C-alpha cells in the first residue's frame, strides 16, 4: 500500500517536472537569443579589455580568488579540484553559486525528461557515501533526512543519513546501492562518469553473494534492522518492491537491472574526451535497445563549460552558463560566434568569482553551429605532459602508444585501463610506470609489453629516446593493479574527485596509498578524464 501511494506521488512529481521542462526550454531559447548582449554586459561588468592577459592557475589567480572571497564574507567556501596538475586548486563557491549550480542540473534534467518523454522521473545518483572537500560533496551536504517528496524524486539522498551509512559500513556500498535501487525502483540513473555505473554492475556480477547479503537479511529478518532504517525504507518504497526483494534474496546468480529495478529507462553521464571505452563497457550492462543514454554537459570545478540543448531528438552543447564570459584561445583568440566548424580551441572563461580570462586547459572542437552558437565537443586536456629532464612526455603521445599496445596485446590488455605514471624511487633512475588497471589479475610476461611501450614512445618522442639512450632515464616498468588500489593512491579527495587520465603529473612515490578510505571497492571508483566532470549530483524539488 505504501509503495502504491509513493508511486502515485512520483507520478504527480513527474507531471510537474514535465511542465518545468517546457518552461526551462523556453527560458533557454530566450537566453540563446540574448547571448551576444549578455556577453557584452558581462565583459563590462568584469572589466575585460583587449589587453587583459590570459592566465593559468597560479599566484595571480589565487590572489584574485582570495580578494573575491573577502567580499563574499562568511558565505565563502572553497572546493578542491582533483588536479590534473600536481596539486589541487581551490575554487571559490558561495551559497548563491551553489544554488545556481543545482538549478543548472535541475534545468537540464527537466528538459531531458520533456525531450525524451520519460515517464518515471525519480533519479538515482551514484553519489559518495563519504564527505570530502570536493564540489560534489558541497552540493550534497545536508543533515538529517531531506523532505519526503525529495526522497521520492531522489532516493539516493537517504544515503547521507547516519543509519544508511552504518549499513554501508556493515554490508558495503555496493550492497546498499542494490538495496535502495530494488526498493525505490527509480526511472533514471546518474553518474558523472560512465565507469562509476559500469563498475557497480561489474562488482555485482563478480561478487553477487556478498552484495546481495543485505537484501537477503532484509527479506528474511526485517525486524532485526534499526527502526530508523525501516522508516527510511518506507519513505522510498515502490510498488511490488517485496517481490523484487524476494527475487534478489533467493537468487544464487546476479539478477539483471531489468528485474530488480525494472522502471529504469535512461541513464545520464558525461560522454566527452577519453570515456568512450567506459561507455562501450557500460552499454553491455545497459543495452541501447532498452536504456537511453542522456549525455551530460561539460563542467569543471572552475565553471560550467557547456549547457545541454535538446532539439529534435539531437543533443548540442552550447557555452551558455549564467554569469560566464566565454572566449577561445590557441591558435587564435576568438569569441564563441567567431568559431568555425572543425576548429579546436582551448576554453578561456571569466566570472564573478575571481576568474578573469582564466585558461581552463580544456580543448573543445566546434562540431556545428546552432542559432549562431558553437556546438562544443570536449576533446582533451591542453598540455597534459610530464618531464623529468626535458623529455616532455605528452598525453597525445601516450594515447597513440596505448592504442598500438591494445592492438598488439588485445587479449592480455582486455577489460583493463592503461595509464602512465612518472616514478622517482630513491637511489634509482627516474622512469615511467605503465600501469594496467583492472579488477582481476592474470599472470603473463610483462617485460615484452614494457619493451614495446619504450620503443613506441621513443619513436614518437626524440627527446625521450635520447634520454633513454644516454641512460638518464630508466626503462619503463610495467605493473598491474586494481581500480581500488589505484584510487587509494591517487584519489586526492576520494570518490567525487577521482579521475582516470592517460598521464599523471604526480610521481608514484609522492602519493602513498591512503589507508583511511572506507570500503574501497570498485563501485566507489569514478574513473574519468576531465578536470573533475563532477557535475551537480543534486536533486530536483530540493
Amino acid at each position: 500500500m505504501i509503495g502504491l501511494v509513493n508511486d502515485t506521488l512520483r507520478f504527480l512529481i513527474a507531471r510537474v517536472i514535465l511542465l518545468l521542462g517546457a518552461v526551462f526550454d523556453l527560458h533557454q531559447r530566450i537566453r540563446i537569443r540574448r547571448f551576444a548582449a549578455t556577453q557584452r554586459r558581462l565583459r563590462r561588468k568584469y572589466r575585460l579589455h583587449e589587453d587583459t592577459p590570459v592566465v593559468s592557475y597560479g599566484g595571480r589567480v589565487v590572489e584574485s580568488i582570495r580578494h573575491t572571497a573577502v567580499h563574499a564574507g562568511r558565505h565563502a567556501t572553497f572546493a578542491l579540484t582533483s588536479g590534473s596538475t600536481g596539486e589541487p586548486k581551490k575554487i571559490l563557491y558561495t551559497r548563491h553559486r551553489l544554488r545556481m549550480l543545482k538549478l543548472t542540473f535541475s534545468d537540464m534534467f527537466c528538459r531531458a525528461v520533456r525531450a525524451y518523454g520519460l515517464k518515471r522521473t525519480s533519479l538515482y545518483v551514484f553519489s559518495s557515501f563519504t564527505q570530502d572537500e570536493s564540489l560534489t560533496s558541497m552540493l550534497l551536504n545536508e543533515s538529517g533526512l531531506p523532505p519526503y517528496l525529495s526522497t521520492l524524486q531522489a532516493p539516493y539522498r537517504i544515503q547521507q543519513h547516519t543509519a544508511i551509512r552504518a549499513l554501508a559500513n556493515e554490508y558495503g556500498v555496493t550492497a546498499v546501492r542494490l538495496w535502495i535501487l530494488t526498493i525505490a525502483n527509480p526511472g533514471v540513473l546518474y553518474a558523472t562518469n560512465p565507469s562509476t555505473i559500469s563498475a557497480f554492475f561489474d562488482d555485482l556480477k563478480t561478487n553477487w553473494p556478498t552484495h546481495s547479503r543485505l537484501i537477503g537479511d532484509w527479506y528474511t529478518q526485517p525486524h532485526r534492522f534499526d527502526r530508523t532504517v525501516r522508516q527510511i525504507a518506507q519513505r522510498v518504497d515502490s510498488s511490488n518492491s517485496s517481490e523484487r526483494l524476494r527475487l534478489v534474496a533467493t537468487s544464487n546468480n546476479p539478477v539483471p537491472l531489468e528485474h530488480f529495478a525494472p522502471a529504469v529507462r535512461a541513464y545520464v553521464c558525461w560522454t566527452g574526451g577519453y570515456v568512450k571505452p567506459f561507455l562501450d563497457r557500460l552499454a553491455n550492462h545497459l543495452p541501447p535497445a532498452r536504456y537511453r543514454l542522456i549525455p551530460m554537459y561539460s563542467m569543471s570545478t572552475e565553471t560550467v563549460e557547456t549547457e545541454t540543448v535538446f532539439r529534435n531528438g539531437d543533443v548540442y552543447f552550447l557555452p551558455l552558463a549564467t554569469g560566464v564570459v566565454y572566449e577561445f584561445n590557441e591558435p587564435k583568440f576568438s569569441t564563441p560566434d567567431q568559431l568555425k566548424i572543425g576548429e579546436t580551441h582551448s576554453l578561456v572563461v571569466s566570472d564573478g568569482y575571481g576568474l578573469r580570462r582564466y585558461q581552463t586547459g580544456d580543448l573543445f572542437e566546434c562540431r556545428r553551429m546552432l542559432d549562431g552558437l558553437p556546438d562544443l565537443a570536449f576533446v582533451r586536456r591542453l598540455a597534459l605532459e610530464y618531464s623529468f629532464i626535458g623529455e616532455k612526455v605528452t598525453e597525445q603521445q601516450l594515447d597513440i602508444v596505448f592504442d598500438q599496445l591494445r592492438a598488439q596485446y588485445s587479449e592480455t590488455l582486455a577489460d583493463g585501463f592503461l595509464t602512465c605514471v612518472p616514478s622517482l624511487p630513491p637511489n634509482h633512475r627516474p622512469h615511467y610506470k605503465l600501469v594496467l588497471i583492472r579488477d582481476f589479475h592474470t599472470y603473463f610476461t610483462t617485460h615484452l609489453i614494457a619493451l614495446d611501450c619504450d620503443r613506441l614512445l621513443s619513436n614518437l618522442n626524440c627527446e625521450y629516446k635520447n634520454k633513454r639512450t644516454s641512460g638518464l632515464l630508466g626503462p619503463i616498468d610495467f605493473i598491474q593493479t586494481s581500480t581500488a588500489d589505484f584510487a587509494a593512491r591517487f584519489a586526492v579527495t576520494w570518490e567525487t574527485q577521482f579521475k582516470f587520465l592517460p598521464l599523471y603529473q604526480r610521481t608514484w612515490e609522492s602519493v602513498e596509498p591512503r589507508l583511511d578510505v572506507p570500503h574501497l571497492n570498485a563501485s566507489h571508483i569514478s574513473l574519468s578524464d576531465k578536470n573533475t566532470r563532477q557535475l551537480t549530483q543534486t536533486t530536483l524539488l530540493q
Side-chain angles (χ1 to χ4, degrees):
M1 183 61 181
I2 294 176
L4 180 60
V5 171
N6 285 347
D7 278 350
T8 301
L9 291 173
R10 288 186 177 103
F11 173 80
L12 296 175
I13 292 172
R15 299 305 94 191
V16 174
I17 290 175
L18 187 62
L19 177 60
L20 287 173
V23 174
F24 287 147
D25 184 68
L26 177 60
H27 182 243
Q28 186 183 67
R29 289 172 184 268
I30 293 173
R31 289 193 294 120
I32 290 174
R33 292 180 65 89
R34 299 178 59 185
F35 178 82
T38 301
Q39 291 284 290
R40 288 194 296 269
R41 177 179 59 81
L42 291 174
R43 287 174 184 276
R44 293 192 298 269
K45 180 179 179 179
Y46 301 149
R47 299 177 181 176
L48 297 178
H49 308 288
E50 289 187 4
D51 58 348
T52 303
V54 175
V55 295
S56 299
Y57 191 84
R60 184 168 184 168
V61 175
V62 170
E63 178 58 26
S64 178
I65 292 175
R66 187 199 65 79
H67 179 75
T68 308
V70 171
H71 288 279
R74 61 187 179 88
H75 298 304
T77 55
F78 294 92
L80 295 184
T81 69
S82 56
S84 296
T85 52
E87 297 294 332
K89 309 165 189 174
K90 294 178 65 176
I91 306 301
L92 173 64
Y93 275 86
T94 63
R95 290 182 182 178
H96 177 264
R97 191 181 189 190
L98 289 173
R99 285 195 298 268
M100 292 302 296
L101 207 51
K102 293 177 181 180
L103 179 60
T104 298
F105 181 87
S106 299
D107 179 308
M108 182 281 303
F109 186 79
C110 291
R111 289 184 292 102
V113 167
R114 180 174 181 269
Y116 296 118
L118 301 180
K119 304 300 182 184
R120 191 175 181 91
T121 62
S122 54
L123 174 70
Y124 182 82
V125 172
F126 285 77
S127 58
S128 174
F129 280 69
T130 58
Q131 291 294 314
D132 52 42
E133 295 179 281
S134 70
L135 175 56
T136 306
S137 282
M138 292 169 61
L139 290 164
L140 291 172
N141 187 24
E142 56 188 349
S143 58
L145 281 175
Y148 174 46
L149 293 180
S150 293
T151 56
L152 291 180
Q153 169 58 28
Y156 69 92
R157 289 179 64 183
I158 68 174
Q159 294 170 181
Q160 300 301 309
H161 195 279
T162 54
I164 304 303
R165 291 186 182 185
L167 279 185
N169 288 333
E170 181 178 355
Y171 290 95
V173 168
T174 299
V176 174
R177 293 196 196 282
L178 176 62
W179 178 75
I180 295 175
L181 286 168
T182 305
I183 293 174
N185 192 23
V188 183
L189 306 179
Y190 168 79
T192 301
N193 306 298
S195 60
T196 305
I197 309 177
S198 177
F200 167 74
F201 289 112
D202 288 341
D203 206 16
L204 281 184
K205 183 177 180 180
T206 56
N207 299 291
W208 177 256
T210 298
H211 300 314
S212 62
R213 185 169 66 89
L214 168 56
I215 290 181
D217 292 347
W218 178 263
Y219 182 73
T220 57
Q221 308 172 63
H223 294 292
R224 90 168 185 84
F225 287 85
D226 183 82
R227 180 183 177 185
T228 303
V229 173
R230 299 199 304 271
Q231 291 175 338
I232 293 174
Q234 287 184 339
R235 290 183 61 151
V236 298
D237 196 20
S238 61
S239 300
N240 300 320
S241 62
S242 59
E243 178 60 27
R244 296 193 301 274
L245 289 167
R246 183 199 63 79
L247 177 64
V248 173
T250 57
S251 177
N252 295 323
N253 299 311
V255 174
L257 176 66
E258 63 187 88
H259 291 158
F260 69 78
V264 175
R265 284 295 183 274
Y267 61 103
V268 184
C269 63
W270 193 65
T271 59
Y274 319 107
V275 299
K276 187 179 184 303
F278 305 115
L279 291 171
D280 293 341
R281 188 168 178 174
L282 183 53
N284 294 326
H285 295 295
L286 303 175
R290 181 181 177 90
Y291 301 100
R292 178 181 290 278
L293 167 60
I294 301 176
M296 195 67 183
Y297 53 83
S298 291
M299 179 179 171
S300 67
T301 304
E302 290 95 322
T303 187
V304 177
E305 297 180 323
T306 62
E307 278 192 16
T308 313
V309 177
F310 304 101
R311 294 282 180 88
N312 302 320
D314 207 350
V315 181
Y316 300 80
F317 301 97
L318 306 186
L320 276 176
T322 301
V324 178
V325 173
Y326 292 95
E327 298 171 296
F328 297 86
N329 202 8
E330 299 177 3
K332 59 182 180 179
F333 206 72
S334 307
T335 55
D337 59 297
Q338 295 173 328
L339 297 188
K340 305 297 182 183
I341 296 175
E343 288 184 345
T344 299
H345 294 273
S346 61
L347 178 62
V348 176
V349 297
S350 303
D351 63 19
Y353 301 96
L355 302 182
R356 294 184 71 227
R357 285 207 168 145
Y358 173 74
Q359 172 63 270
T360 64
D362 295 331
L363 289 178
F364 289 87
E365 179 188 358
C366 175
R367 299 188 300 184
R368 51 192 169 175
M369 303 296 289
L370 177 68
D371 296 335
L373 292 181
D375 175 23
L376 300 173
F378 176 81
V379 178
R380 58 180 173 84
R381 289 286 296 166
L382 177 69
L384 184 56
E385 64 178 36
Y386 194 88
S387 184
F388 283 112
I389 41 180
E391 69 276 10
K392 294 183 180 179
V393 173
T394 69
E395 145 195 34
Q396 298 96 304
Q397 295 167 354
L398 290 170
D399 281 338
I400 296 173
V401 170
F402 292 167
D403 285 344
Q404 295 185 49
L405 289 176
R406 290 191 189 98
Q408 186 172 349
Y409 300 96
S410 56
E411 294 186 6
T412 301
L413 303 180
D415 297 323
F417 311 109
L418 289 173
T419 186
C420 185
V421 182
S423 179
L424 188 60
N427 303 320
H428 287 79
R429 288 179 295 173
H431 63 278
Y432 291 88
K433 292 186 182 297
L434 175 64
V435 186
L436 174 63
I437 306 169
R438 63 182 174 192
D439 293 321
F440 62 91
H441 283 257
T442 55
Y443 296 94
F444 50 84
T445 304
T446 62
H447 75 277
L448 291 179
I449 298 179
L451 286 174
D452 281 329
C453 184
D454 221 11
R455 174 181 57 80
L456 292 169
L457 187 57
S458 294
N459 291 340
L460 291 172
N461 185 324
C462 62
E463 287 299 325
Y464 177 84
K465 181 178 181 179
N466 293 337
K467 302 300 190 291
R468 283 285 296 113
T469 302
S470 66
L472 295 175
L473 282 178
I476 286 177
D477 180 27
F478 183 94
I479 61 176
Q480 185 177 183
T481 187
S482 68
T483 52
D485 291 340
F486 191 82
R489 182 181 291 270
F490 280 91
V492 177
T493 51
W494 183 220
E495 182 180 11
T496 56
Q497 288 286 77
F498 184 56
K499 60 184 179 179
F500 182 81
L501 293 167
L503 172 66
Y504 284 82
Q505 294 181 306
R506 288 169 286 166
T507 64
W508 185 263
E509 294 74 23
S510 67
V511 280
E512 291 298 324
R514 294 175 55 196
L515 302 178
D516 62 329
V517 177
H519 294 289
L520 196 59
N521 59 49
S523 65
H524 284 71
I525 311 304
S526 180
L527 300 177
S528 74
D529 58 291
K530 165 71 179 70
N531 202 330
T532 57
R533 301 304 172 207
Q534 50 195 2
L535 310 175
T536 60
Q537 295 177 340
T538 179
T539 182
L540 307 176
L541 306 174
Q542 215 166 1

